[in-house]
Amino acid sequence: MEFWALPPAAREEGFAELRATAPVSWHRQPESQLLPESEGTGGYWAVVRYEDVREISRDPERFCSSRGVMFEDIPAELLEASQSFLAMDDPRHAKLRKLVAEAFKPRAVKRIDEGIRADARTIVDDLGGQFEGDFVEAVAKRLPMMTIMRLLGVPEEDQEAVLWGVDAAVSWNDHEFLAGRTPLEVVGESMTIMTEIAYRLCAERREQPADDLITDLVQADVDGEQLTDAEISAFLVLLSVAGNDTTRHTTSHAMRALCDFPDQRALLLDDLEGRIETAVEEFVRWASPVMTFRRTATQDTEISGQPIAAGEKVVMFYPSANRDESVFERPNEFDIARSPNRHVGFGGGGAHFCMGASLARTQLAAIFTELLGRLPELEVGEPAYVVGNFVNGIARMPFSGEGGIRTLEAG
Ligand code: HEM
């Protein structure tokens, strides 16, 4: 826990040492705030190099997801309520993913692109004359919520509650968020709130179908059977968590980096439309908002010459793979024109590759086009980080700006 309380740059020093000296190393069972040590599942192999992360991600026969994907040991009921197909193997994984995947394919995302841009414009409009505040509240958390809630079909009056649930679901190691309550209490409450909303929405959509994902799910046919409310609820929790935190924290980290590397900001501003695509890839590499996912070896095998026994856990550290000096030149420099930039921020490829990658790219391009285009002098201060081993989060970050909001040239 001490290690995960360090800022990202300090953690990277530890990862750099492991990459150089022990790319696949054995570690004792991670501390868990949610289960007593005696109920833990033991130690794990830490995989910190880029190529190894790719190899594991692309070989689910050898490294499966159905025996858990979280770094830390977590009670089974919680996993069941929140992970859906993320923690399954094919064929069940593929069947369930297919039910919603269509809505996240590049073609479908293109259809909602204009709506996403309009939301991004609203967020910047809403800053109005406010040139000071918390960047996370005022900017970073808003666009992901607007998009994913609309896609799912969560009505506006439930959105704040779902968003609190999303934050609580990934903040169990963060004492500030817990504010004196136990991690289990807070995560339990988060699941209760999100599950209640999901069950209610399932009932409503059965009565009155709408053009949204919850309706698709209540009507879905999987091998002649309907999904249960519990299964749909786990979908909703997975999509809400996966679709909110990740893009939000990438937005905050990227804004901070643009202030830390003013020459890169100037380069981007110089040709915002032409450079935003490569910039977004660098935002994701730089932020690596998802820090860990785990697999379990299904057979005796090896990674980079290190024998791994059947049943042993392997944990992939995405921020480390994204700073791997054997793949990325000057990995600790933020370079908005980096090309190629085959980062593993969205995963190392394979069946579980991030389903929301196109959506996230579109959202990031939209918000930064608006922000930088209309508030070119926007500055952010020191971030307060979320403490934890799963999401590389920024809880708060002050912003200020001068000069007023500009109008973007049409086109
Ligand atoms: C910058 C933003 C994002 C990042 C960095 C990110 C990262 C990731 C990563 C690392 C994985 C695991 C990949 C693997 O195991 O190989 C993943 C899976 C997933 N992501 Fe994202 N994600 C982002 C945005 C989104 C959005 C907007 C959604 C929309 C709902 C989303 C939905 C999912 C889902 C459903 C999965 C599970 C896929 C599966 O198991 O088949 N993600 N994401």
Side-chain angles (χ1 to χ4, degrees):
M1 287 306 164
E2 245 169 66
F3 176 77
W4 295 106
L6 295 171
R11 288 197 299 260
E12 163 51 20
E13 286 174 25
F15 286 131
E17 194 179 326
L18 281 181
R19 285 196 303 275
T21 59
V24 183
S25 54
W26 182 256
H27 298 262
R28 67 186 159 86
Q29 175 172 303
E31 288 173 71
S32 171
Q33 306 274 8
L34 295 170
L35 268 184
E37 204 182 329
S38 57
E39 288 179 37
T41 52
Y44 66 95
W45 293 103
V47 176
V48 292
R49 277 192 190 160
Y50 178 91
E51 291 301 345
D52 294 336
V53 166
R54 299 235 320 157
E55 181 180 331
I56 292 165
S57 304
R58 285 156 188 258
D59 197 344
E61 297 272 308
R62 274 197 302 153
F63 300 102
C64 74
S65 293
S66 54
R67 288 194 239 166
V69 294
M70 300 305 287
F71 176 36
E72 199 175 320
D73 288 311
I74 290 178
E77 306 87 308
L78 272 183
L79 294 179
E80 217 174 294
S82 62
Q83 303 218 308
S84 185
F85 58 89
L86 176 68
M88 292 176 191
D89 293 313
D90 288 347
R92 181 91 182 145
H93 160 264
K95 272 188 193 141
L96 293 190
R97 177 168 164 139
K98 201 164 158 242
L99 295 178
V100 286
E102 204 54 48
F104 295 91
K105 290 197 171 139
R107 206 157 17 106
V109 173
K110 225 175 161 43
R111 280 202 297 272
I112 57 167
D113 178 57
E114 198 31 60
I116 293 173
R117 284 172 197 239
D119 286 344
R121 267 195 300 277
T122 305
I123 292 167
V124 176
D125 285 344
D126 286 352
L127 291 176
Q130 176 194 358
F131 294 120
E132 263 181 9
D134 175 14
F135 184 81
V136 176
E137 280 295 321
V139 180
K141 76 188 247 189
R142 294 194 60 200
L143 186 58
M145 177 174 81
M146 287 157 121
T147 317
I148 198 75
M149 297 290 143
R150 193 179 307 137
L151 274 173
L152 285 168
V154 177
E156 227 170 297
E157 61 272 21
D158 290 321
Q159 292 184 0
E160 272 303 318
V162 173
L163 204 63
W164 182 86
V166 165
D167 282 350
V170 297
S171 300
W172 68 89
N173 285 315
D174 193 273
H175 289 285
E176 190 183 309
F177 191 94
L178 297 174
R181 298 171 70 196
T182 68
L184 213 52
E185 233 180 295
V186 171
V187 177
E189 187 181 328
S190 130
M191 287 305 139
T192 308
I193 289 178
M194 291 202 277
T195 308
E196 269 174 19
I197 293 175
Y199 278 48
R200 174 162 48 77
L201 294 176
C202 286
E204 283 173 17
R205 293 303 189 279
R206 281 199 187 93
E207 280 283 301
Q208 207 165 15
D211 183 17
D212 58 35
L213 286 178
I214 297 178
T215 305
D216 291 350
L217 291 172
V218 296
Q219 294 177 345
D221 179 315
V222 187
D223 299 333
E225 287 187 24
Q226 293 219 305
L227 294 172
T228 63
D229 282 6
E231 284 171 321
I232 298 177
S233 175
F235 252 106
L236 186 113
V237 175
L238 169 64
L239 294 180
S240 304
V241 175
N244 266 303
D245 263 53
T246 46
T247 314
R248 173 204 315 187
H249 296 310
T250 306
T251 306
S252 299
H253 282 289
M255 191 62 229
R256 180 66 234 168
L258 289 166
C259 295
D260 285 340
F261 296 86
D263 56 327
Q264 292 299 306
R265 179 181 177 136
L267 193 67
L268 181 54
L269 270 168
D270 205 37
D271 180 8
L272 194 48
E273 208 183 319
R275 297 202 173 112
I276 192 69
E277 210 173 297
T278 55
V280 162
E281 295 310 316
E282 184 68 344
F283 295 170
V284 177
R285 183 191 77 89
W286 190 255
S288 295
V290 177
M291 297 193 288
T292 53
F293 266 132
R294 160 188 146 192
R295 300 288 190 264
T296 306
T298 58
Q299 52 196 267
D300 291 346
T301 182
E302 61 170 62
I303 307 165
S304 278
Q306 172 62 55
I308 310 279
E312 284 179 342
K313 296 184 282 185
V314 292
V315 177
M316 298 175 281
F317 292 86
Y318 300 113
S320 174
N322 278 339
R323 297 283 194 283
D324 187 332
E325 38 290 280
S326 69
V327 177
F328 300 98
E329 277 175 33
R330 302 165 286 102
N332 292 317
E333 279 176 35
F334 178 70
D335 174 0
I336 61 114
R338 188 179 288 281
S339 177
N341 189 355
R342 295 190 201 94
H343 63 81
V344 290
F346 291 118
H352 289 274
F353 185 75
C354 176
M355 196 182 72
S358 272
L359 180 60
R361 287 177 170 125
T362 303
Q363 291 175 317
L364 290 165
I367 194 70
F368 279 97
T369 301
E370 287 294 317
L371 269 181
L372 297 178
R374 293 172 64 197
L375 278 171
E377 286 92 15
L378 186 73
E379 287 290 330
V380 291
E382 278 307 304
Y385 294 106
V386 175
V387 178
N389 52 31
F390 179 42
V391 164
N392 182 21
I394 291 184
R396 289 180 314 281
M397 186 165 66
F399 77 89
S400 60
E402 282 171 18
I405 300 179
R406 299 180 187 178
T407 309
L408 276 187
E409 302 272 320

